[in-house]
Amino acid sequence: MSPLNKLAPSRSLARLRIALTVFFALDGFLFAGWVVRIPAIKEQTGASAGDLGLALLGVSAGAVVTMTLTGRLCGRFGSRPLTVAAAILLSVGIALPAQTHSPPALGLVLLVFGAAYGGINVAMNSAAVDLVEALRRPVMPGFHAAFSLGGMLGAGLGGLLAAGLSPASHLLVLTVTGLVVTAAAGPVLLLPTSPPVDGGAGPASPPEGRGSERAASPGGHEDGRARLSGRTRRLVVVFGVIALCTAYGEGALADWGALHLEQDLGAHAGVAAAGYSVFALAMTAGRLSGTTMLERLGQTRTLVAGGATAAAGMLLGSLAPTVWLALLGFAVTGLGLANIFPVAVARAGALAGPRGVATASTLGYGGMLLGPPVIGFLADWFSLPVALTTVAALAAVAAVIGYAARGAADGSPAEERAGARRAPAGAARDERCRAESR
């Protein structure tokens, strides 16, 4: 093979990595842009707080249902085409809430928006797992850093536009932006990569990725179904629980962090509002350095160190006697949680393909939804600082589970044989891809 041909796969993988990064950033950008207009949409629809809460359940319901289905669809049609399709639906769906004038109508259109949001998260994470395998580098945290950066940009820009644009105009701008970005980056995902990294590139190309239920053993028998219904399936749930424990903290801090600073520590409203920003900035910084950390420490040490760091940080953040110590605790918590979710999703996908990503993502999303109401109930029974210590407790649980699953987390030879068996042709193809992309 000529040097030029050897470089071609590496270049195509690099383009694919950039395109996927763009889609992660777009997802965060669009979602944050919708979130900052929720108060205006509430006023437009005349919804009470209870009505709005019920309507917002449409996002959650749509996302959870679609996440459970997208894993199967990725196995059949490919994760990259589904990423593009979901991005189009998300871009169109974000304009719909501003066209409603009643809480029931808002809840119905949010089902569509939630379905697109859940679909793109599973699809693009599945595509990212395939790319991580092809590159043989733990680059998953970089994708999630792009999501965080996109969210920060979307929230900041949305705050600026909110003063001069109606919700309908603002969300329409987001629709156009999403469609333009998808049109620019989508073709890279739709074109075949040489060698292909998406095991389920389409109906004519049966999936041969990790954990695929159609992967054949060397003897030619399809043993994937038995494999996924046994130890591998349990391991996927384990990594899903790790994702849940950390996403719980994200949801809790997003909804209750500012209130804790203002109500319990007497912070000024502006300083209190900065609490989640400090957490989000620290998480983004941690994810930007995540690949280097994973290469130096490995996945088990990253999970354990991250969980322990987050637990210590949240104990400080929830029990500190001063605002500035609490803000320091929030920052440490963000650094600790930063890479746990990406690692958990990546390992679930490596073990069971798109269905593994779907399971871990659904559990993680459930944790994000579970956090705020649990904190609220505990705050009523005890106090808000005590309630926030549950974030530290679950971060510690994530560290313990990560250590207990250390063989699977580091991709031990036993797990590689159990969860990554391929047909001979697929194995040869993947080995060429790995060698040429170094």
Side-chain angles (χ1 to χ4, degrees):
M1 182 180 290
S2 68
L4 182 60
N5 290 335
K6 288 182 178 180
L7 288 174
S10 179
R11 287 174 178 171
S12 64
L13 292 176
R15 288 194 297 270
L16 182 57
R17 182 180 178 183
I18 292 172
L20 272 177
T21 301
V22 168
F23 276 102
F24 272 85
L26 178 65
D27 184 31
F29 177 81
L30 293 178
F31 190 79
W34 143 250
V35 167
V36 299
R37 299 315 301 251
I38 289 177
I41 298 295
K42 176 180 181 295
E43 182 178 352
Q44 175 180 303
T45 58
S48 66
D51 291 336
L52 180 63
L54 288 174
L56 291 175
L57 282 177
V59 179
S60 306
V64 169
V65 170
T66 309
M67 282 178 171
T68 60
L69 296 175
T70 304
R72 295 178 180 272
L73 294 175
C74 286
R76 182 172 183 180
F77 299 107
S79 54
R80 288 182 284 158
L82 280 178
T83 298
V84 176
I88 294 172
L89 182 59
L90 184 68
S91 300
V92 173
I94 199 171
L96 298 179
Q99 308 304 318
T100 61
H101 298 280
S102 68
L106 178 61
L108 288 176
V109 300
L110 288 180
L111 279 171
V112 177
F113 180 73
Y117 182 71
I120 193 173
N121 274 277
V122 172
M124 67 186 182
N125 272 291
S126 297
V129 167
D130 289 332
L131 185 57
V132 167
E133 180 184 357
L135 292 172
R136 294 184 65 84
R137 289 195 67 209
V139 297
M140 183 66 86
F143 295 124
H144 287 261
F147 174 86
S148 298
L149 288 170
M152 293 168 61
L153 178 61
L157 183 61
L160 293 175
L161 294 178
L165 286 180
S166 67
S169 298
H170 179 199
L171 297 184
L172 184 59
V173 169
L174 295 183
T175 292
V176 174
T177 302
L179 292 176
V180 169
V181 171
T182 301
V188 179
L189 270 65
L190 296 177
L191 290 174
T193 305
S194 178
V197 298
D198 189 346
S205 178
E208 296 175 338
R210 285 183 187 263
S212 169
E213 291 190 1
R214 296 172 61 186
S217 66
H221 301 291
E222 292 185 1
D223 60 350
R225 186 173 300 277
R227 182 168 65 249
L228 286 185
S229 63
R231 185 165 182 261
T232 300
R233 189 180 296 275
R234 291 193 295 272
L235 284 171
V236 167
V237 172
V238 165
F239 286 111
V241 171
I242 292 175
L244 183 153
C245 289
T246 57
Y248 174 97
E250 288 191 60
L253 280 171
D255 284 17
W256 292 101
L259 184 62
H260 167 58
L261 293 174
E262 186 171 356
Q263 171 184 291
D264 299 316
L265 298 177
H268 183 272
V271 176
Y276 183 72
S277 298
V278 168
F279 170 79
L281 280 171
M283 177 171 281
T284 303
R287 286 175 170 174
L288 287 172
S289 60
T291 295
T292 300
M293 181 181 298
L294 285 166
E295 288 177 333
R296 293 184 177 180
L297 300 181
Q299 294 180 357
T300 294
R301 290 176 181 172
T302 299
L303 288 176
V304 173
T309 300
M314 200 58 223
L315 284 176
L316 177 62
S318 58
L319 302 178
T322 66
V323 172
W324 302 111
L325 280 177
L327 288 173
L328 175 62
F330 285 4
V332 173
T333 303
L335 287 173
L337 294 181
N339 296 304
I340 301 178
F341 189 95
V343 170
V345 171
R347 285 309 304 156
L351 287 166
R355 295 192 187 187
V357 173
T359 299
S361 298
T362 303
L363 286 169
Y365 193 78
M368 190 170 290
L369 297 176
L370 182 67
V374 168
I375 295 294
F377 288 131
L378 291 176
D380 284 341
W381 293 337
F382 303 101
S383 67
L384 183 53
V386 170
L388 287 172
T389 61
T390 59
V391 175
L394 287 184
V397 168
V400 172
I401 296 176
Y403 181 76
R406 56 191 177 278
D410 285 328
S412 65
E415 282 305 316
E416 292 294 325
R417 289 192 297 270
R421 199 172 288 166
R422 282 178 169 74
R429 182 189 65 199
D430 288 348
E431 283 302 317
R432 289 196 303 270
C433 174
R434 291 168 179 168
E436 292 169 350
S437 62
R438 289 175 186 170

PDB file of all heavy atoms in Angstrom, residues 15 93 118 211 273 295 302 318 334 343 357 360 365 385:
ATOM      1  N   ARG A  15     -11.763  13.534   9.720  1.00  0.00           N
ATOM      2  CA  ARG A  15     -12.938  14.309   9.294  1.00  0.00           C
ATOM      3  C   ARG A  15     -14.187  13.849  10.034  1.00  0.00           C
ATOM      4  O   ARG A  15     -15.024  14.663  10.435  1.00  0.00           O
ATOM      5  CB  ARG A  15     -13.130  14.172   7.781  1.00  0.00           C
ATOM      6  CG  ARG A  15     -12.104  14.906   6.941  1.00  0.00           C
ATOM      7  CD  ARG A  15     -12.556  15.010   5.498  1.00  0.00           C
ATOM      8  NE  ARG A  15     -12.694  13.709   4.882  1.00  0.00           N
ATOM      9  CZ  ARG A  15     -11.716  13.077   4.227  1.00  0.00           C
ATOM     10  NH1 ARG A  15     -10.526  13.661   4.117  1.00  0.00           N
ATOM     11  NH2 ARG A  15     -11.920  11.894   3.679  1.00  0.00           N
ATOM     12  N   GLY A  93     -37.967  20.422  15.467  1.00  0.00           N
ATOM     13  CA  GLY A  93     -38.794  20.315  16.664  1.00  0.00           C
ATOM     14  C   GLY A  93     -38.618  21.461  17.633  1.00  0.00           C
ATOM     15  O   GLY A  93     -39.545  21.793  18.381  1.00  0.00           O
ATOM     16  N   GLY A 118     -33.569  12.485  22.546  1.00  0.00           N
ATOM     17  CA  GLY A 118     -33.134  11.154  22.958  1.00  0.00           C
ATOM     18  C   GLY A 118     -32.490  10.398  21.820  1.00  0.00           C
ATOM     19  O   GLY A 118     -31.469   9.721  22.001  1.00  0.00           O
ATOM     20  N   GLY A 211     -20.326  -6.460  20.568  1.00  0.00           N
ATOM     21  CA  GLY A 211     -21.544  -6.824  21.233  1.00  0.00           C
ATOM     22  C   GLY A 211     -22.722  -6.976  20.312  1.00  0.00           C
ATOM     23  O   GLY A 211     -23.840  -7.143  20.763  1.00  0.00           O
ATOM     24  N   ALA A 273     -26.407  32.736  41.040  1.00  0.00           N
ATOM     25  CA  ALA A 273     -26.625  32.267  39.673  1.00  0.00           C
ATOM     26  C   ALA A 273     -25.334  31.757  39.048  1.00  0.00           C
ATOM     27  O   ALA A 273     -25.362  30.911  38.139  1.00  0.00           O
ATOM     28  CB  ALA A 273     -27.206  33.399  38.826  1.00  0.00           C
ATOM     29  N   GLU A 295      -5.581   8.226  28.933  1.00  0.00           N
ATOM     30  CA  GLU A 295      -4.371   7.587  28.402  1.00  0.00           C
ATOM     31  C   GLU A 295      -3.334   7.361  29.493  1.00  0.00           C
ATOM     32  O   GLU A 295      -2.578   6.384  29.449  1.00  0.00           O
ATOM     33  CB  GLU A 295      -3.791   8.448  27.283  1.00  0.00           C
ATOM     34  CG  GLU A 295      -4.628   8.417  26.010  1.00  0.00           C
ATOM     35  CD  GLU A 295      -4.092   9.333  24.932  1.00  0.00           C
ATOM     36  OE1 GLU A 295      -3.426  10.342  25.274  1.00  0.00           O
ATOM     37  OE2 GLU A 295      -4.339   9.056  23.751  1.00  0.00           O
ATOM     38  N   THR A 302      -9.591   6.449  36.319  1.00  0.00           N
ATOM     39  CA  THR A 302     -10.335   7.672  36.014  1.00  0.00           C
ATOM     40  C   THR A 302     -11.705   7.654  36.680  1.00  0.00           C
ATOM     41  O   THR A 302     -12.145   8.662  37.258  1.00  0.00           O
ATOM     42  CB  THR A 302     -10.484   7.831  34.494  1.00  0.00           C
ATOM     43  OG1 THR A 302      -9.181   7.941  33.900  1.00  0.00           O
ATOM     44  CG2 THR A 302     -11.297   9.071  34.153  1.00  0.00           C
ATOM     45  N   SER A 318     -21.824  21.390  49.726  1.00  0.00           N
ATOM     46  CA  SER A 318     -23.104  21.367  50.434  1.00  0.00           C
ATOM     47  C   SER A 318     -22.998  21.771  51.895  1.00  0.00           C
ATOM     48  O   SER A 318     -23.960  22.297  52.469  1.00  0.00           O
ATOM     49  CB  SER A 318     -23.724  19.968  50.343  1.00  0.00           C
ATOM     50  OG  SER A 318     -22.846  18.988  50.878  1.00  0.00           O
ATOM     51  N   GLY A 334     -17.500  19.434  39.655  1.00  0.00           N
ATOM     52  CA  GLY A 334     -17.531  19.407  38.198  1.00  0.00           C
ATOM     53  C   GLY A 334     -16.337  18.702  37.609  1.00  0.00           C
ATOM     54  O   GLY A 334     -16.464  17.905  36.665  1.00  0.00           O
ATOM     55  N   VAL A 343     -17.069   7.908  30.059  1.00  0.00           N
ATOM     56  CA  VAL A 343     -16.425   6.601  30.166  1.00  0.00           C
ATOM     57  C   VAL A 343     -17.467   5.497  30.313  1.00  0.00           C
ATOM     58  O   VAL A 343     -17.373   4.429  29.682  1.00  0.00           O
ATOM     59  CB  VAL A 343     -15.442   6.575  31.352  1.00  0.00           C
ATOM     60  CG1 VAL A 343     -14.955   5.147  31.633  1.00  0.00           C
ATOM     61  CG2 VAL A 343     -14.241   7.472  31.062  1.00  0.00           C
ATOM     62  N   VAL A 357     -25.165   1.516  24.444  1.00  0.00           N
ATOM     63  CA  VAL A 357     -25.226   2.971  24.573  1.00  0.00           C
ATOM     64  C   VAL A 357     -26.632   3.406  24.975  1.00  0.00           C
ATOM     65  O   VAL A 357     -26.811   4.273  25.833  1.00  0.00           O
ATOM     66  CB  VAL A 357     -24.809   3.648  23.252  1.00  0.00           C
ATOM     67  CG1 VAL A 357     -25.031   5.152  23.332  1.00  0.00           C
ATOM     68  CG2 VAL A 357     -23.347   3.356  22.937  1.00  0.00           C
ATOM     69  N   ALA A 360     -27.248   2.557  28.756  1.00  0.00           N
ATOM     70  CA  ALA A 360     -26.514   3.450  29.660  1.00  0.00           C
ATOM     71  C   ALA A 360     -27.051   4.874  29.589  1.00  0.00           C
ATOM     72  O   ALA A 360     -27.178   5.553  30.617  1.00  0.00           O
ATOM     73  CB  ALA A 360     -25.030   3.417  29.310  1.00  0.00           C
ATOM     74  N   TYR A 365     -29.906   9.386  31.817  1.00  0.00           N
ATOM     75  CA  TYR A 365     -30.923  10.422  31.686  1.00  0.00           C
ATOM     76  C   TYR A 365     -31.934  10.307  32.826  1.00  0.00           C
ATOM     77  O   TYR A 365     -32.394  11.318  33.370  1.00  0.00           O
ATOM     78  CB  TYR A 365     -31.621  10.277  30.340  1.00  0.00           C
ATOM     79  CG  TYR A 365     -32.480  11.459  29.954  1.00  0.00           C
ATOM     80  CD1 TYR A 365     -31.905  12.628  29.460  1.00  0.00           C
ATOM     81  CD2 TYR A 365     -33.861  11.420  30.078  1.00  0.00           C
ATOM     82  CE1 TYR A 365     -32.678  13.721  29.106  1.00  0.00           C
ATOM     83  CE2 TYR A 365     -34.643  12.501  29.729  1.00  0.00           C
ATOM     84  CZ  TYR A 365     -34.049  13.649  29.240  1.00  0.00           C
ATOM     85  OH  TYR A 365     -34.823  14.729  28.900  1.00  0.00           O
ATOM     86  N   PRO A 385     -28.933  21.594  52.450  1.00  0.00           N
ATOM     87  CA  PRO A 385     -27.543  21.124  52.509  1.00  0.00           C
ATOM     88  C   PRO A 385     -27.441  19.614  52.720  1.00  0.00           C
ATOM     89  O   PRO A 385     -26.614  18.945  52.077  1.00  0.00           O
ATOM     90  CB  PRO A 385     -26.951  21.902  53.691  1.00  0.00           C
ATOM     91  CG  PRO A 385     -27.768  23.147  53.752  1.00  0.00           C
ATOM     92  CD  PRO A 385     -29.155  22.729  53.379  1.00  0.00           C
TER      93      PRO A 385
END
